Amino acid sequence: MGSHALPRPALRQRIRGGCGRGRGVLGLGATLSTPPTAHAAESTLGAAAAQSGRYFGTAIAAGRLSDSTYTSIASREFNMVTAENEMKIDATEPQRGQFDFSAGDRVYNWAVQNGKEVRGHTLAWHSQQPYWMQSLSGSDLRQAMIDHINGVMNHYKGKIAQWDVVNEAFEDGNSGARRDSNLQRTGNDWIEVAFRTARAADPSAKLCYNDYNIENWTWAKTQAVYNMVRDFKQRGVPIDCVGFQSHFNSGSPYDSNFRTTLQSFAALGVDVAITELDIQGASPTTYANVVNDCLAVSRCLGITVWGVRDTDSWRSGDTPLLFNGDGSKKPAYSAVLDALNGGSSGEPPEDGGSGQIKNAASGRCLDVSGAGTADGTAVQLYDCHGGTNQQWTYTDAGEFRVYGNKCLDAGGTGNGARVQIYSCWGGDNQKWRVNSDGTIVGVQSGLCLDAAGTGNSTPVQLYTCSYADNQRWTVS
């Protein structure tokens, strides 16, 4: 883990469908349908991710395995585990040639006993080296690195799904240079040697390069790692995957080009994984965007969040995870689960239908202002009355249609963007994801359908998903 523009501690430790058969979580007796889904919805993160052949994992600390709230969440929700610190260099080889796997084995055994796979983290890194390794240089350090990789991988041979072979080897900033570490000073080929050593030690494990601040495609550091991976693939250096730590915060924010980054690396012939995800403030929209980015790239293996609850996070003050300290689920959890379930967790409907869309906060209906039919007519809240301007049909394409040929249309992609009706033309601004928590999310923007108040004629707009009642909808 890197500083990611913040100080580093010493250790870092849908209105919803299913309306066929006359019942849906949009409301009892609802007839509005959701788009067909290939799977029934799952109720946990790991199971939902597994529907697409991916995993959703977490970092586990051995010292927290006696906390029943911690282990209850971890065993229920995740299907992949990364040891937070217990497989790093200082933990596994505290004295040269004397390995200690007690803490690492505790995490590994808990994971296997609870039916989870394990990612290994990490074999070669400039940080968290034991004192004896910090004092070495040159060929002696190079040999120590090789011996350490062999020792750890031999112990876990055939047991680890992916290894972060090398961690954080590139500088921050605009240079695109290698980090000036003791390992780098043994020779520029040290990363290649680490990967070749790892392949020989355990041919069955996926071998990954792992780093932070390489999510934004335009950044020099991202391009430097991309060029290294391309070179390795061209020369036959055994690299199987790239891990994107994805610590998003005000100094290193999420950018929508993250999907481009994942796609570009995957095009080189490597798998990609999101390995240490946490998001300052735990924005539900950003969490859903990251999940959808992974789902959009066939070679994205899965996602790991770096900790279970906010209180377990290495940056607990940022409240960056999916669970509060008391173990309760945060709005971001619902956003992630819904995204993993394909945007809707209801059963596929037998047929479509029309109905009113009622706002949970006000009890008023989604209404075309003045019963207008012209393109650009605003959508508002109004007392439910059953008129044709309040009858909406949800299509297999993800549109909400009114009057048969007009679509619910987003007039922009930012907070406060106008919602209106417009002639249906198939654009993403006319497609909506119907979610299990009662929200309706614009496909183009990732923002929620939002009522700006509760009275008659209140405008309906797009806004960042907060999962408050003014963003929840049912069919009456």
Side-chain angles (χ1 to χ4, degrees):
M1 303 197 43
S3 59
H4 322 294
L6 292 176
R8 176 211 284 269
L11 290 178
R12 55 180 192 252
Q13 309 276 352
R14 266 156 127 75
I15 325 177
R16 162 175 180 105
C19 304
R21 303 181 183 88
R23 62 172 182 81
V25 261
L26 288 171
L28 293 176
T31 56
L32 192 66
S33 69
T34 58
T37 55
H39 305 276
E42 296 291 349
S43 60
T44 65
L45 301 173
Q51 293 179 116
S52 64
R54 293 168 174 83
Y55 61 81
F56 201 95
T58 189
I60 290 291
R64 294 191 175 93
L65 290 176
S66 59
D67 181 332
S68 60
T69 302
Y70 180 88
T71 54
S72 175
I73 296 169
S75 63
R76 180 187 74 228
E77 294 289 344
F78 305 105
N79 57 353
M80 178 71 81
V81 161
T82 303
E84 189 166 350
N85 287 294
E86 293 79 358
M87 293 185 186
K88 292 175 181 172
I89 309 168
D90 55 353
T92 51
E93 195 178 0
Q95 301 296 325
R96 187 170 189 177
Q98 298 179 18
F99 290 89
D100 181 355
F101 298 109
S102 55
D105 285 353
R106 188 177 178 199
V107 173
Y108 175 82
N109 292 335
W110 180 89
V112 172
Q113 288 162 11
N114 285 275
K116 302 169 195 323
E117 289 191 289
V118 179
R119 296 191 77 255
H121 177 78
T122 179
L123 296 169
W125 189 25
H126 70 276
S127 186
Q128 286 182 237
Q129 294 178 0
Y131 179 76
W132 66 264
M133 183 175 280
Q134 296 175 37
S135 67
L136 301 180
S137 61
S139 59
D140 199 17
L141 176 59
R142 174 66 65 86
Q143 190 59 51
M145 179 192 77
I146 293 170
D147 293 343
H148 178 79
I149 293 171
N150 281 323
V152 175
M153 293 192 76
N154 285 337
H155 178 78
Y156 291 108
K157 187 172 184 177
K159 299 178 179 180
I160 302 293
Q162 307 165 30
W163 270 109
D164 290 332
V165 178
V166 173
N167 199 44
E168 301 176 358
F170 284 79
E171 280 288 357
D172 289 320
N174 298 320
S175 70
R178 293 277 187 92
R179 184 187 296 274
D180 182 23
S181 68
N182 59 349
L183 292 169
Q184 178 64 28
R185 291 191 290 274
T186 68
N188 203 54
D189 64 339
W190 75 274
I191 300 176
E192 177 177 343
V193 170
F195 275 91
R196 292 193 185 278
T197 303
R199 174 65 87 232
D202 187 354
S204 67
K206 286 185 180 291
L207 308 181
C208 306
Y209 176 79
N210 192 55
D211 215 328
Y212 66 94
N213 283 356
I214 60 169
E215 295 80 20
N216 190 313
W217 181 243
T218 68
W219 287 0
K221 187 175 181 180
T222 307
Q223 293 300 312
V225 175
Y226 176 85
N227 289 334
M228 179 190 74
V229 174
R230 181 174 58 186
D231 173 62
F232 280 8
K233 293 300 291 183
Q234 290 173 345
R235 296 193 294 110
V237 179
I239 184 170
D240 302 312
C241 50
V242 177
F244 300 82
Q245 291 185 15
S246 305
H247 298 289
F248 294 117
N249 57 69
S250 56
S252 179
Y254 168 83
D255 190 284
S256 59
N257 70 27
F258 185 33
R259 187 176 301 189
T260 299
T261 303
L262 296 176
Q263 291 168 333
S264 299
F265 275 85
L268 294 177
V270 293
D271 294 327
V272 293
I274 297 166
T275 56
E276 303 182 18
L277 178 64
D278 48 32
I279 299 172
Q280 186 177 27
S283 159
T285 300
T286 305
Y287 259 108
N289 287 341
V290 172
V291 172
N292 286 322
D293 289 341
C294 178
L295 294 175
V297 179
S298 61
R299 296 198 70 149
C300 185
L301 300 170
I303 298 169
T304 297
V305 287
W306 204 250
V308 176
R309 305 161 299 187
D310 284 338
T311 47
D312 307 313
S313 171
W314 68 302
R315 341 165 93 164
S316 57
D318 287 347
T319 59
L321 296 176
L322 301 177
F323 294 87
N324 294 305
D326 63 3
S328 59
K329 299 170 182 176
K330 297 166 65 174
Y333 172 92
S334 299
V336 167
L337 182 62
D338 192 71
L340 291 170
N341 274 321
S344 172
S345 43
E347 62 185 45
E350 290 181 340
D351 49 44
S354 298
Q356 294 171 318
I357 303 174
K358 185 180 287 187
N359 182 253
S362 66
R364 292 188 162 91
C365 280
L366 194 67
D367 175 285
V368 182
S369 180
T373 59
D375 285 349
T377 302
V379 174
Q380 61 183 8
L381 292 183
Y382 212 84
D383 292 335
C384 301
H385 54 67
T388 56
N389 66 322
Q390 293 185 354
Q391 295 293 315
W392 301 90
T393 302
Y394 194 48
T395 73
D396 288 349
E399 303 161 328
F400 281 106
R401 291 196 173 215
V402 66
Y403 310 136
N405 63 347
K406 300 291 184 180
C407 277
L408 190 68
D409 177 287
T413 57
N415 281 338
R418 171 188 176 92
V419 177
Q420 59 193 3
I421 62 167
Y422 213 87
S423 298
C424 299
W425 63 283
D428 283 349
N429 69 314
Q430 294 185 346
K431 294 179 181 177
W432 305 86
R433 204 167 60 240
V434 175
N435 297 328
S436 59
D437 54 19
T439 59
I440 301 175
V441 174
V443 168
Q444 183 184 60
S445 66
L447 302 180
C448 274
L449 196 66
D450 175 287
T454 58
N456 278 334
S457 302
T458 295
V460 174
Q461 60 187 3
L462 293 182
Y463 216 83
T464 299
C465 297
S466 66
Y467 300 88
D469 282 348
N470 69 312
Q471 293 184 349
R472 297 181 190 274
W473 308 83
T474 60
V475 171
S476 59

